[in-house]
Amino acid sequence: MLFGYPIAATQNNWLHDCLCEAVRTIHASVDAKKRYPGWPSVLPKVYRETLKSRTGLRDRLKSYHSAVRRLTKAERDVVLDALESENRIGDLLSGACECARNDGLPQDIQEPVAELFEFAFGLLTDLAVRDQQYAAIYAASSDHVCPFCGTEYFDAPGAVREGLDHYLARSRYPFAAANLRNLVPMGYKCNSNYKLASDLLRRGDGSRRVAFDPYNHTRISVSLDDSEPFDGTTEHTPNWMIRFDPETPAAHTWDEVFSVRERYRRDHLDPSFRSWLDQFAKIARRTGVRGDSDAELIAVLKWLEDLYGDSGLQDRAFLKAAAFRMLRRHCEAGHQRLLKHLRNLVAQPTPLPVADPTGSSMSKDAA
């Protein structure tokens, strides 16, 4: 994840807080062998007037109460513990605590929990809470791109809202389904093609993993420094080595779930590299560089690196900056094949060799 969202965007979390308090009230009444508090008395007093017309919520709380009454005290404690632990989002993502999944709860309570909190999630739209959260996140970012890929733009508030991902999947952790701390705007491709209902806490084999906390996360950067300038998918495409800085276990989960390295390489670096070299050659010629000075070639690469380094995430600038940085470092280290290739590009404003769609090179370097 390239950057995080402001925690302030989750402050309007009153519906989640209200629902959790209602659930605790239900458990307390059952433990004390008291009657169901009734509607809307089961809700905290401050929210009763706002929610009393929401009969769908009323019915689901009543169903939840009926299911809780069928459980033993030990089973009820397990469920109540799940309510609390599933909502320790930051601790779960960092590995500081554990929680049960819905399929680990008593059978009788699984469906009522899922239906209750799924319904509450829907209410977030009706009550405009989702719009407020999205507007706060959009306003806090100058780049307006999905932080999980850095390449897909977010539409402004007022347009069709971006997908709101349940970072901890609601099918597994339903008590967190309406918690804004667990709801994350995400670009369509990241949400619908990669993340889907992946479990960020556990791999397919059940082993534990940690993940970035979207609301408590600093920026990480992408480095291409370890790439080789040639002989990737074609002769003139770099053999990309993509590294995250810092390279943490959470960064590994990010790549596992969102296929970040594969997407950067396949969708952006390989198809765009040729046009980036074209840009390098054009700028070199416009500034009077004729390719007979390695220092001048390196200076143009550095200028492009700095230009895109100052451009944030706009138009994949972070990938362009990393690519020009990689080329500059190789040139400074005396990579003769690369220097020769760049000199020829600057000297000959002719089309670059065209990549064979099958993956093999169709023509030789001008060298």
Side-chain angles (χ1 to χ4, degrees):
M1 187 175 186
L2 296 170
F3 63 93
Y5 290 139
I7 190 66
T10 69
Q11 289 182 346
N12 191 21
N13 212 11
W14 67 268
L15 183 61
H16 166 75
D17 293 339
C18 169
L19 201 54
C20 289
E21 194 56 38
V23 167
R24 295 187 190 103
T25 297
I26 288 173
H27 279 259
S29 69
V30 173
D31 288 350
K33 302 184 186 307
K34 293 182 178 179
R35 299 182 61 183
Y36 181 63
W39 180 261
S41 298
V42 68
L43 302 174
K45 187 175 181 179
V46 67
Y47 303 120
R48 291 173 188 169
E49 185 64 25
T50 302
L51 295 174
K52 69 179 183 181
S53 64
R54 303 291 178 171
T55 56
L57 188 60
R58 176 198 65 191
D59 296 344
R60 287 164 178 80
L61 280 168
K62 190 72 168 67
S63 296
Y64 182 86
H65 172 262
S66 298
V68 168
R69 288 186 59 191
R70 295 194 293 271
L71 304 179
T72 66
K73 177 63 168 68
E75 289 174 330
R76 294 197 297 272
D77 288 346
V78 168
V79 174
L80 203 54
D81 180 71
L83 168 72
E84 308 299 342
S85 58
E86 285 184 20
N87 285 295
R88 293 177 61 184
I89 307 297
D91 289 339
L92 287 170
L93 294 172
S94 69
C97 75
E98 302 294 337
C99 73
R101 303 198 312 191
N102 197 39
D103 58 7
L105 299 181
Q107 184 73 36
D108 285 350
I109 202 68
Q110 291 178 20
E111 185 172 333
V113 171
E115 290 187 353
L116 173 60
F117 282 85
E118 176 68 21
F119 185 82
F121 172 66
L123 284 182
L124 293 176
T125 299
D126 298 344
L127 297 167
V129 175
R130 286 184 59 179
D131 287 335
Q132 294 170 19
Q133 182 197 27
Y134 183 70
I137 288 172
Y138 188 87
S141 170
S142 59
D143 296 312
H144 306 311
V145 297
C146 171
F148 295 93
C149 64
T151 60
E152 192 169 1
Y153 282 100
F154 281 172
D155 287 336
V160 176
R161 194 189 310 103
E162 301 295 338
L164 194 60
D165 179 69
H166 285 84
Y167 202 54
L168 299 183
R170 54 186 163 183
S171 58
R172 295 183 172 88
Y173 310 103
F175 280 119
N179 185 351
L180 296 188
R181 193 69 173 70
N182 187 43
L183 299 177
V184 184
M186 189 177 288
Y188 176 81
K189 291 178 182 176
C190 286
N191 190 21
S192 300
N193 296 346
Y194 295 95
K195 166 67 167 50
L196 302 169
S198 298
D199 188 350
L200 289 174
L201 304 184
R202 296 177 180 85
R203 298 180 181 86
D205 62 3
S207 60
R208 187 72 161 89
R209 60 185 176 187
V210 298
F212 289 133
D213 181 347
Y215 293 101
N216 183 21
H217 176 61
T218 56
R219 284 179 179 265
I220 72 168
S221 59
V222 175
S223 172
L224 303 173
D225 287 356
D226 297 333
S227 305
E228 289 297 324
F230 298 98
D231 303 325
T233 55
T234 72
E235 180 183 359
H236 294 92
T237 303
N239 185 9
W240 301 108
M241 297 295 290
I242 303 171
R243 182 165 50 81
F244 304 124
D245 186 16
E247 192 80 61
T248 62
H252 183 68
T253 300
W254 175 44
D255 188 42
E256 280 185 331
V257 174
F258 293 93
S259 301
V260 181
R261 285 188 173 93
E262 176 188 352
R263 294 165 65 190
Y264 283 170
R265 185 180 296 111
R266 181 196 62 211
D267 302 335
H268 303 292
L269 295 172
D270 277 353
S272 298
F273 184 69
R274 177 176 150 176
S275 68
W276 297 347
L277 284 186
D278 283 345
Q279 182 186 21
F280 159 80
K282 289 175 182 175
I283 289 176
R285 288 192 291 271
R286 286 174 183 171
T287 54
V289 174
R290 290 292 175 263
D292 51 357
S293 165
D294 292 350
E296 288 183 342
L297 295 175
I298 291 170
V300 175
L301 291 172
K302 183 67 168 64
W303 186 85
L304 286 164
E305 174 189 338
D306 291 344
L307 171 69
Y308 289 117
D310 292 339
S311 300
L313 300 176
Q314 290 285 322
D315 192 26
R316 300 164 295 155
F318 66 106
L319 292 177
K320 298 178 190 177
F324 286 119
R325 172 185 159 90
M326 179 271 292
L327 294 175
R328 174 184 61 79
R329 287 167 60 89
H330 278 295
C331 287
E332 289 177 341
H335 196 300
Q336 292 304 309
R337 183 183 177 191
L338 176 60
L339 285 165
K340 197 170 185 179
H341 183 57
L342 296 178
R343 281 196 291 270
N344 286 335
L345 289 175
V346 173
Q348 300 177 14
T350 54
L352 292 171
V354 177
D356 185 340
T358 63
S360 62
S361 176
M362 294 182 65
S363 62
K364 293 289 186 182
D365 185 347

